Amino acid sequence: GLDQVMEAVERGDSTRVLEIVAELGRSGANLQHFCRELARHIRNLLVARITGAGSRLIAASPSEQAKMVEVGGRFSEEDLTRYLQIVLDVFRDLQYSLQPRLHLELGLLKLVHAGRLTSIEEALAGIGASGMTPSAPKPPQAPPRPAPSAAPVSFDSLPSWPTKSEMKKPAP
């Protein structure tokens, strides 16, 4: 289950994550529990990616930690952090959801799509490497102003607002 989700996220396989949720539903799994375990798994992948194998921050055997380092190494720290935040948001939503399957499906699809995002640093490095220079966006053009059709209006010809003292006078 958990490894299958991460494999699907790595491949960008939206169909597979929907199939995983369907399998969970058919087996009668508690979707909130699955989501909590997925958050724990992604957290462990992130910690393993940062600290390497043999960390006391992960409650797992050395062989499990080695596998976590290998799997976590396929993703950037930024990606794993983003995935963890998405899953934590889904877990929170599942607590009050009348349609938990819908929320889990949407959350796992967000994971798949979040994996396709390019970090700002990568995008800027790509621009620099291509020889292109980023340009500021052009401000929208203001529509042309229509030519005045009549002579300009003098402010003296406009009606004036009543003064405070005129406003305080009782009505006749």
Side-chain angles (χ1 to χ4, degrees):
L2 303 177
D3 289 329
Q4 292 174 351
V5 169
M6 296 312 294
E7 288 170 10
V9 169
E10 182 181 10
R11 289 191 318 266
D13 191 346
S14 298
T15 302
R16 182 63 188 130
V17 296
L18 293 175
E19 290 170 352
I20 291 169
V21 175
E23 291 167 12
L24 291 168
R26 280 192 300 273
S27 68
N30 181 321
L31 300 182
Q32 192 173 2
H33 176 75
F34 176 81
C35 192
R36 181 175 46 245
E37 291 303 311
L38 182 59
R40 182 176 293 134
H41 183 66
I42 294 172
R43 178 257 180 209
N44 287 343
L45 293 176
L46 177 61
V47 171
R49 168 107 170 79
I50 293 168
T51 64
S55 173
R56 292 187 299 186
L57 299 173
I58 302 172
S61 70
S63 64
E64 290 173 321
Q65 285 194 26
K67 184 174 183 202
M68 287 179 195
V69 169
E70 188 265 321
V71 173
R74 297 182 204 157
F75 303 96
S76 70
E77 284 182 37
E78 293 84 4
D79 283 340
L80 290 170
T81 302
R82 193 176 315 126
Y83 300 158
L84 182 56
Q85 186 60 59
I86 290 168
V87 173
L88 289 172
D89 290 345
V90 172
F91 178 74
R92 184 195 63 232
D93 292 345
L94 286 175
Q95 292 177 351
Y96 306 104
S97 176
L98 298 176
Q99 297 184 12
R101 180 176 173 163
L102 174 71
H103 282 274
L104 185 58
E105 286 173 341
L106 181 61
L108 295 184
L109 288 171
K110 283 181 182 180
L111 287 181
V112 169
H113 295 292
R116 296 178 184 156
L117 297 177
T118 303
S119 72
I120 292 172
E121 292 81 11
E122 290 171 353
L124 291 175
I127 290 172
S130 68
M132 296 173 58
T133 56
S135 60
K138 294 180 182 175
Q141 295 283 336
R145 297 177 122 182
S149 58
V153 176
S154 164
F155 286 109
D156 296 334
S157 65
L158 295 175
S160 62
W161 291 98
T163 63
K164 283 185 181 181
S165 61
E166 291 173 335
M167 290 175 58
K168 290 183 181 178
K169 290 181 183 176

